[in-house]
Amino acid sequence: MAKLQRLGKGDFQALAEFRFQLRRFMRFSEETAKSAGLTPSQYQLLLQIKGFAQRRAPSVGELAERLQTVPHAVVTLVTRCERAGLVTRLCGENDRRQVHVSLTPAGHRAVSRVALRNRNELLSLTSVFRPAQLSRLNDRP
């Protein structure tokens, strides 16, 4: 049986501060999305489409993985975004059953507005994620 490691006060402080700052950022991001006329889920979908590294248009399955949800929930979200004029669906080139999702010009504008504000807020949190701050996780009692 592996020996259980003990956490010191510094571990708990670093983890608590990280969690606090993460939640603070998430709340800021949610409010920023709402002020731009998007739901937080819509913004997350648009962000994953815009930031998808492998191709221009991710599939519904790939978006489900990136959003950590199930494909049928992504289909519902894509439908809402499509009705709002933010995304379009594309049939796969090799497999017409596979659906890919891309941003419309309105989707590009919406995600870019929110992402710019989020990036600026994230930059204000850099001290939390600096190696010196995270090194507290190595402190032992």
Side-chain angles (χ1 to χ4, degrees):
M1 180 182 287
K3 184 178 178 183
L4 190 62
Q5 288 188 350
R6 297 183 66 202
L7 298 177
K9 181 71 170 171
D11 293 320
F12 287 103
Q13 288 172 332
L15 291 167
E17 182 64 19
F18 175 78
R19 178 65 179 90
F20 166 68
Q21 296 297 341
L22 181 62
R23 182 61 197 124
R24 190 173 73 82
F25 174 77
M26 291 303 295
R27 184 178 186 132
F28 176 89
S29 180
E30 291 162 1
E31 293 301 319
T32 302
K34 289 176 188 175
S35 72
L38 300 171
T39 67
S41 296
Q42 286 173 323
Y43 171 66
Q44 289 300 315
L45 176 73
L46 299 180
L47 181 62
Q48 291 306 321
I49 295 168
K50 180 84 172 176
F52 194 70
Q54 297 176 16
R55 287 186 299 288
R56 288 180 33 175
S59 70
V60 167
E62 290 164 330
L63 289 168
E65 171 66 23
R66 299 291 300 176
L67 295 170
Q68 291 294 284
T69 190
V70 293
H72 69 269
V74 172
V75 169
T76 301
L77 184 56
V78 167
T79 298
R80 288 196 327 248
C81 287
E82 191 173 41
R83 287 183 186 144
L86 301 169
V87 301
T88 57
R89 296 174 204 240
L90 310 161
C91 288
E93 292 179 10
N94 297 329
D95 184 348
R96 311 268 310 149
R97 296 170 297 174
Q98 194 171 42
V99 175
H100 296 270
V101 185
S102 67
L103 296 176
T104 64
H108 280 284
R109 286 189 302 275
V111 71
S112 295
R113 274 193 313 270
V114 177
L116 179 61
R117 290 189 65 200
N118 284 342
R119 184 194 65 181
N120 292 340
E121 178 67 11
L122 189 58
L123 289 172
S124 75
L125 299 175
T126 56
S127 66
V128 176
F129 303 108
R130 287 200 178 124
Q133 299 294 79
L134 296 176
S135 70
R136 284 193 258 167
L137 289 173
N138 289 322
D139 292 346
R140 294 290 172 236

